Amino acid sequence: MYRIRFHGRGGQGMKTASRILGSAFFLEGFDVQDAPRYGAERRGAPIFAYVRASRQAINERGVIHHPDLVVVADDSLVPVPAAAVLQGLDAHTVTLINSHTSAADWQQRLNLAGPVLILPATEEAEDRAELPFVGTTCAAAAARLVGVISRDALAEAIRTELGALGSQLVEKNTEAALQAYDLMEPHAGTVTEGKAHSASGYARPDWIGMTVEDVDLAAPSIHAAATSVEVKTGLWRTLRPVIDYDRCSRCWWVCSTFCPDSAIAVDADGRPDIDYDHCKGCLICVAKCPPHAIEAIPEHLAQAAEETNA
Amino acid sequence: MTRTLLTGNAAAAWGARLASVDYVPAFPITPQTEIIETLAAWLDRDEMPGRLVMLESEHSMITAAGAAATSGVRVFTATSSQGLLYGMEMVYTVAGWRAPFVMVNVSRGLASPLTLEPDHTDIMAARDSGFLQIHCASCQEVLDSVLIAYRLAEDHRVRLPVIVNLDGFYLSFTREPVEIPEADAVSRFLPPFDAESTRFSASAPTSQAVAVLSGTPYSYFRYECHLAAQNAITVYDEAAAVFASVFGRHHEAVEAYRSEDADIVFVMIGSFATKAREAVDRLREAGQAVGLVRPRLLRPYPAEQLLRLLAGKRGVAVIDQNLSMGMGGVLHTELSAALYGKPGAPAVLLSFIGGLGGRDITPEEFYEIAAVTRQAAEDGVVPPPRLLYSRDEHREVTKLQAIAHTERNELESKP
Amino acid sequence: MNESRFKRMKDLPSTHLLGSGTPMCSGCGGLEALHEIYDILGPKTVFVNAAGCMTLLAVYPFTPFRGSWLYTAMASAPAGAQGIRDALDILIEQQRLPVEEDLEVVVLTGDGAAYGMGLSSTSGAMERDLNFLYICYDNEGYGNTGQQFSGATPHAARTATSKGPHGFAGFKKDLFSIWAAHKPSYVATVIGAEPLDLARKIEKAMQLKGPRLIIALAPCPTGWDYDPRESADIGKLAVSTGVWPLKEYVDGRVVHTKVPKQRQPVEDYLEKQGRFAHLFEPQRNEQLLQELQNSIDSYWAEIEH
């Protein structure tokens, strides 16, 4: 069975990627499961989707713990623990990253036992939440890597999944997809079917006998204020607002008032300060700043610059 | 202490009054309405402290009850049948809040077809909710059970809402002699509600009933609710023992009537169990060793007590006044599960469905149930579940159908 | 009524109470309004929530509130408020709770609950003259389930369940008037994009007792299909085009608190949102655009009359 996991951000089309790949496998005669995994996460937040494909009936369900292929649509997610991109990877797992950075660099950074491949990020969108065709190209690259999906089946799958968006979009996506498919030609068949789970020599679950606990613990109650600040929603951000303090007019804290996430604090002198741990990058502040003192820059470039400076 | 004639509904209201409830969210429904009318009258006349608020539905009523209980006041409410079902989302919800309060349910058959007459299908729909359930067989038990229910609900080891169940008409509108205890005796039995940290106040911000997003915390909170419900077996026994010492009345989790030396035992809940008690006496006179086992406590399920009381019996007949569509009687199903594979489990466990929608169960039917059960024990063959329903009754329905101009087409059965 | 302490923009709070780190969408117009409202209300509050997007504000063990919270169900948050208000009153009356520990009870629901399933319990709470605040964040659809149309969806809007060439066939229910017909203490419309108007209304509501109900139009980048950065601008346009009249009902009268002097054409508001794109592409739906403009004009003609 092939077990494939797609990692991206809400809005990058990971569900579509899983469906295109699922349909392509299906057209090639495979039994298939594809599904997105939703939580409370929204646009920009890390999400994943997965595909299983087998010549036999599939009885497994739910999250893939040991993938044969992990596809990362947004390389800024790789180091984010909450995205769980690296979970369950072993020597058999191929990792495909949509990135400008080379495979060797990634291999060195991540020290993975399995091979790392790069899907060169072609066109760079300003906002990574809106990378053009990223879901489709990821699905196409995956289709080539498994080596059992033809160009025709891929194109047909794209037509099936994106048809409702109109022929123009289907055409553009198909073109981008086939390009990605052909790019992966040298690695066709690198991803092979993982073994079935073994029932012999398994790790025993560490079950406990649950005991009754005090109602103060055992009711779903929180006895504290504003614990949500422990959630770093800054991870969702694909664009970063940066204040040019020379231009900031210390106005009536427009940016701070309109920021839905209470992520802009203003000190006694009227100087605003953006809390990047929590700023989701909506950029309402950029739009509303009266003297246009806030600029949006791509988050990955901002992070790269920070790394260089450090 | 006063001994007087009270309906089951009035007894329920007296239970709430003696428990000094602070708050009564209410909504009328037959055959429960007399309870809230009685309380409203006392409150209007300042005969008891507290506040009654009429909500616009049972769904809202149970929400308000749970919300007030989680704010730290003692809450009483009552409903029945369709009302219980209309509020069912909140029945499950407030139990998960661990909101301790008492709700009386006056059992009544469920639609469709709509009826006002009693059976237990309504209360069975609440059995998996987290509410504990005490089932009453007399008006005295209704009053006493409300007091016991508060001790149970508010106990730190439990902290769950409790339903006290009584049968519509057969208890709700039936007067019986009831001893109304003195307030100071009640206060010796039932201390004031201490909500501890389950409350809202400005200096202690609290978020209650918070959502979870994965199976790990969900499983924990749900299973803890279940464990707290199971804790209530011990807490009930303690409460019943204290109750007996203060008031001299015994309300064990399971009533055993002449069952010790019986070879055939009836199992029933609710007010019709007194009919079974009567049948036991008549059968004993006729030389048959028959007894009755009646769970008062149905949630938590007193499995160990039932096993102990039924161990070694030749035959057990479960009489269900409820119907799980496509399965049968709920009490029979649950008892089967509790006894299966246990040493000493009775050889045969028979299922009888009766008393649906207020349909009577006659003495002759109890005698016949005993006879059928004895025969099954002798043969070692368990007959299929039996609906208590006579040829005359079927004839009566046929007449109604004729008036309704329904056509009688026999069901075809293929060979 | 005391004079407002919010005379100009500089009087608005510059520090914020609502905790960051919530799972609301980036650029959420509802959260924008809520955080402005919370700054005025303060932490001596208990929020009673109904099923909707904002149910996820508190996901165990995280809450953005500095005060209290109770999640109920979709239909019955006002009944939850009833239970808490009554309990607090009883506890204070019995001297089991010091008065300074009292809380303002605030219902928080989306339009799905407010305009539909929860309308009966809201009506009941008003009928019982419950002393509470109700805040509805109105993003004009069942947003948390993917923006299906609700009783709050405007005419012609595309939603997940109205994807046809004419969008939603129904009309937005006039909840303000339905609420006002109950003669509660206060009803107001607000929007996060007009923070001064919002602050004054919340301040006024807090000075009153009884049922006080607020509808905040909540521009929704996810459900309305626009770039999140435009949330506040679209909110402004909702007001300046006359789509979202800012008004209040108090002492039996409806007063408009911000009458746009020269109303912008409604198109300016519609064309910014993907949910109305079918009115402009592939070709302009002149008739429907005119209809939408007419209904706004006739509303204001009556007001200005």
Side-chain angles (χ1 to χ4, degrees):
Chain A
M1 187 187 314
Y2 289 104
R3 299 175 181 88
I4 296 153
R5 225 164 55 200
F6 290 94
H7 291 266
R9 295 179 182 276
Q12 286 178 338
M14 292 303 96
K15 178 181 167 186
T16 308
S18 71
R19 290 195 158 190
I20 289 172
L21 187 63
S23 279
F25 268 120
F26 184 66
L27 289 166
E28 293 291 0
F30 281 79
D31 196 16
V32 167
Q33 257 183 23
D34 61 55
R37 189 75 179 182
Y38 290 117
E41 293 78 18
R42 310 293 164 123
R43 189 175 189 274
I47 63 145
F48 65 94
Y50 53 86
V51 179
R52 286 189 177 87
S54 173
R55 294 286 182 191
Q56 278 87 43
I58 298 172
N59 290 315
E60 288 185 9
R61 281 202 184 279
V63 176
I64 289 172
H65 295 290
H66 298 287
D68 308 312
L69 170 63
V70 164
V71 184
V72 190
D74 187 325
D75 64 0
S76 65
L77 288 175
V78 177
V80 175
V85 172
L86 304 175
Q87 205 167 67
L89 271 59
D90 60 22
H92 172 76
T93 315
V94 176
T95 306
L96 174 71
I97 311 177
N98 180 44
S99 180
H100 284 300
T101 313
S102 72
D105 277 7
W106 278 112
Q107 187 60 271
Q108 199 194 347
R109 270 173 70 178
L110 304 175
N111 195 24
L112 293 176
V116 176
L117 298 174
I118 295 299
L119 173 62
T122 47
E123 211 177 321
E124 187 64 83
E126 189 205 8
D127 181 355
R128 283 207 168 174
E130 287 178 352
L131 285 176
F133 324 120
V134 67
T136 319
T137 52
C138 284
R144 193 72 192 105
L145 291 181
V146 294
V148 292
I149 295 171
S150 68
R151 272 178 128 245
D152 287 350
L154 175 65
E156 177 64 29
I158 292 170
R159 271 196 298 280
T160 309
E161 297 304 327
L162 302 182
L165 301 176
S167 56
Q168 214 179 349
L169 260 173
V170 170
E171 234 168 81
K172 280 188 182 168
N173 273 279
T174 309
E175 194 186 321
L178 293 178
Q179 219 170 4
Y181 183 89
D182 293 341
L183 260 175
M184 290 296 118
E185 169 64 38
H187 308 291
T190 310
V191 175
T192 54
E193 294 187 68
K195 283 200 285 278
H197 205 282
S198 169
S200 52
Y202 68 97
R204 293 182 61 194
D206 186 17
W207 286 336
I208 56 162
M210 181 97 92
T211 51
V212 66
E213 298 200 292
D214 191 282
V215 63
D216 288 335
L217 296 170
S221 305
I222 305 167
H223 298 279
T227 50
S228 64
V229 297
E230 291 184 37
V231 183
K232 306 295 185 219
T233 43
L235 293 176
W236 301 14
R237 190 173 58 240
T238 51
L239 290 169
R240 178 187 292 200
V242 178
I243 301 172
D244 176 352
Y245 287 104
D246 293 335
R247 287 170 77 181
C248 169
S249 62
R250 309 321 194 239
C251 68
W252 56 273
W253 39 90
V254 170
C255 53
S256 169
T257 299
F258 286 126
C259 172
D261 291 293
S262 309
I264 306 181
V266 179
D267 68 14
D269 302 325
R271 183 189 146 99
D273 182 35
I274 300 176
D275 166 10
Y276 291 119
D277 279 347
H278 297 104
C279 162
K280 294 171 186 160
C282 70
L283 308 182
I284 291 176
C285 56
V286 173
K288 297 304 289 183
C289 175
H292 307 289
I294 311 178
E295 189 193 2
I297 59 173
E299 180 64 22
H300 61 284
L301 296 183
Q303 281 180 15
E306 273 174 350
E307 266 174 48
T308 314
N309 291 341
Chain B
M1 186 174 66
T2 320
R3 193 154 190 270
T4 186
L5 286 176
L6 289 182
T7 61
N9 280 343
W14 265 107
R17 175 171 170 167
L18 288 166
S20 305
V21 298
D22 298 306
Y23 189 48
V24 184
F27 191 78
I29 181 169
T30 304
Q32 167 279 119
T33 312
E34 184 191 0
I35 299 175
I36 58 165
E37 283 177 350
T38 307
L39 287 168
W42 288 335
L43 289 162
D44 280 346
R45 297 198 298 261
D46 281 332
E47 287 175 23
M48 65 177 280
R51 185 183 295 201
L52 182 144
V53 173
M54 192 66 83
L55 277 296
E56 74 294 331
S57 74
E58 289 87 355
H59 188 277
S60 280
M61 179 186 86
I62 298 168
T63 306
T70 58
S71 306
V73 299
R74 184 171 281 166
V75 181
F76 175 84
T77 189
T79 189
S80 172
S81 184
Q82 304 299 119
L84 181 68
L85 261 68
Y86 192 76
M88 194 57 81
E89 179 187 21
M90 298 318 295
V91 169
Y92 277 70
T93 301
V94 299
W97 295 357
R98 308 292 298 269
F101 66 94
V102 174
M103 177 161 78
V104 163
N105 182 65
V106 184
S107 263
R108 173 184 138 189
L110 292 174
S112 285
L114 188 71
T115 182
L116 296 176
E117 298 282 330
D119 69 33
H120 297 151
T121 306
D122 61 349
I123 189 64
M124 290 304 153
R127 73 191 167 128
D128 303 332
S129 64
F131 265 80
L132 309 181
Q133 291 190 10
I134 302 174
H135 289 259
C136 305
S138 70
C139 295
Q140 182 70 61
E141 247 184 72
V142 172
L143 191 157
D144 294 352
S145 296
V146 169
L147 298 177
I148 292 172
Y150 277 106
R151 235 185 111 119
L152 195 56
E154 293 168 4
D155 192 290
H156 192 82
R157 295 163 290 176
V158 178
R159 283 303 172 96
L160 286 168
V162 180
I163 291 175
V164 173
N165 202 66
L166 59 134
D167 292 322
F169 294 82
Y170 292 91
L171 288 183
S172 72
F173 299 159
T174 303
R175 291 205 309 165
E176 291 175 351
V178 173
E179 279 185 14
I180 302 173
E182 297 298 332
D184 62 332
V186 172
S187 66
R188 267 183 287 140
F189 171 71
L190 182 64
F193 174 34
D194 179 2
E196 299 165 350
S197 69
T198 309
R199 59 194 308 167
F200 294 110
S201 69
S203 61
T206 304
S207 297
Q208 297 196 53
V210 177
V212 298
L213 285 177
S214 82
T216 296
Y218 183 83
S219 304
Y220 170 81
F221 290 122
R222 296 294 289 178
Y223 206 77
E224 281 297 326
C225 212
H226 164 64
L227 292 173
Q230 288 195 322
N231 251 4
I233 293 258
T234 316
V235 178
Y236 182 92
D237 289 345
E238 286 173 21
V242 178
F243 191 92
S245 73
V246 175
F247 302 104
R249 288 188 293 279
H250 297 266
H251 296 300
E252 292 84 359
V254 182
E255 178 199 355
Y257 183 72
R258 301 183 83 165
S259 66
E260 204 172 343
D261 63 342
D263 52 7
I264 302 295
V265 174
F266 299 135
V267 174
M268 284 187 86
I269 57 168
S271 67
F272 272 26
T274 61
K275 291 169 177 273
R277 209 187 280 161
E278 179 68 16
V280 165
D281 288 346
R282 301 290 81 79
L283 285 161
R284 287 274 176 172
E285 282 170 9
Q288 296 190 39
V290 177
L292 165 71
V293 164
R294 173 177 70 96
R296 282 190 181 86
L297 197 60
L298 201 65
R299 282 293 180 275
Y301 192 74
E304 277 178 35
Q305 287 95 321
L306 286 167
L307 180 62
R308 200 174 60 240
L309 292 168
L310 297 175
K313 302 303 172 196
R314 290 190 67 204
V316 171
V318 183
I319 302 159
D320 271 289
Q321 290 169 262
N322 66 76
L323 188 53
S324 167
M325 302 298 174
M327 179 62 193
V330 171
L331 296 180
H332 179 260
T333 308
E334 295 202 337
L335 189 58
S336 305
L339 298 178
Y340 182 81
K342 297 291 190 321
V348 294
L349 188 64
L350 278 70
S351 171
F352 297 87
I353 311 277
L356 297 183
R359 191 267 192 198
D360 197 12
I361 301 177
T362 64
E364 293 80 0
E365 288 180 315
F366 282 105
Y367 308 153
E368 183 64 9
I369 288 168
V372 170
T373 305
R374 188 176 302 283
Q375 190 62 49
E378 271 164 29
D379 298 348
V381 178
V382 178
R386 160 74 71 189
L387 176 71
L388 308 184
Y389 204 72
S390 69
R391 196 171 301 280
D392 277 352
E393 286 178 282
H394 193 256
R395 203 170 291 136
E396 192 185 322
V397 167
T398 311
K399 284 182 194 160
L400 300 177
Q401 287 170 326
I403 299 169
H405 287 250
T406 54
E407 269 187 63
R408 180 164 290 274
N409 292 311
E410 296 306 324
L411 284 174
E412 280 178 38
S413 57
K414 286 187 180 149
Chain C
M1 193 77 53
N2 301 331
E3 205 179 316
S4 174
R5 68 185 162 105
F6 301 108
K7 293 189 187 63
R8 52 192 189 121
M9 296 295 192
K10 283 255 184 195
D11 297 329
L12 290 172
S14 60
T15 54
H16 306 298
L17 284 173
L18 195 67
S20 45
T22 72
M24 297 300 102
C25 295
S26 173
C28 172
L31 190 62
E32 182 177 72
L34 180 67
H35 105 96
E36 293 171 14
I37 290 167
Y38 199 55
D39 283 341
I40 318 289
L41 287 180
K44 283 179 79 168
T45 41
V46 50
F47 277 73
V48 187
N49 178 251
C53 291
M54 290 203 186
T55 295
L56 297 177
L57 282 179
V59 173
Y60 193 86
F62 304 114
T63 175
F65 290 96
R66 285 172 206 280
S68 292
W69 164 275
L70 177 73
Y71 172 71
T72 56
M74 190 153 183
S76 59
Q82 181 84 47
I84 296 177
R85 181 68 269 153
D86 287 338
L88 291 171
D89 288 346
I90 289 165
L91 290 169
I92 290 167
E93 206 173 276
Q94 296 175 350
Q95 298 184 333
R96 285 160 67 196
L97 187 76
V99 181
E100 60 271 19
E101 290 286 353
D102 194 15
L103 300 166
E104 177 87 77
V105 184
V106 186
V107 165
L108 177 68
T109 84
D111 54 282
Y115 283 72
M117 201 193 272
L119 194 48
S120 147
S121 64
T122 313
S123 176
M126 283 191 275
E127 163 196 319
R128 295 184 297 267
D129 199 31
L130 178 65
N131 181 23
F132 79 125
L133 258 163
Y134 187 140
I135 293 158
C136 164
Y137 53 98
D138 178 358
N139 75 336
E140 307 194 315
Y142 296 110
N144 205 35
T145 46
Q147 199 71 5
Q148 298 76 27
F149 64 75
S150 76
T153 302
H155 188 55
R158 186 195 69 210
T159 68
T161 43
S162 59
K163 286 187 167 170
H166 303 291
F168 179 53
F171 295 86
K172 188 178 175 79
K173 202 185 278 182
D174 184 1
L175 187 62
F176 179 93
S177 297
I178 294 169
W179 280 354
H182 289 75
K183 300 187 171 37
S185 306
Y186 191 64
V187 186
T189 59
V190 300
I191 191 159
E194 296 288 355
L196 196 57
D197 179 79
L198 176 146
R200 287 173 182 157
K201 285 171 174 167
I202 301 301
E203 183 191 37
K204 187 181 282 185
M206 287 184 74
Q207 289 165 0
L208 297 165
K209 296 275 175 213
R212 292 148 292 154
L213 304 94
I214 314 278
I215 316 173
L217 185 69
C220 172
T222 313
W224 297 6
D225 189 12
Y226 63 81
D227 190 301
R229 75 173 74 191
E230 301 205 74
S231 262
D233 287 333
I234 286 176
K236 275 257 182 211
L237 279 166
V239 176
S240 59
T241 57
V243 164
W244 187 246
L246 294 173
K247 54 186 172 180
E248 57 189 7
Y249 166 92
V250 64
D251 296 332
R253 274 181 352 115
V254 176
V255 177
H256 283 72
T257 53
K258 201 175 175 100
V259 181
K261 285 195 186 69
Q262 189 81 54
R263 277 197 315 281
Q264 277 179 262
V266 70
E267 269 190 63
D268 296 0
Y269 171 72
L270 303 174
E271 70 187 3
K272 281 190 169 287
Q273 306 171 44
R275 64 173 174 158
F276 294 112
H278 56 286
L279 299 180
F280 303 95
E281 281 172 359
Q283 63 265 342
R284 281 174 64 88
N285 189 333
E286 214 56 68
Q287 195 193 333
L288 201 41
L289 283 167
Q290 196 55 54
E291 253 177 61
L292 293 170
Q293 186 64 57
N294 289 349
S295 86
I296 292 165
D297 291 346
S298 68
Y299 175 88
W300 288 99
E302 242 175 79
I303 302 310
E304 287 154 359
H305 186 63

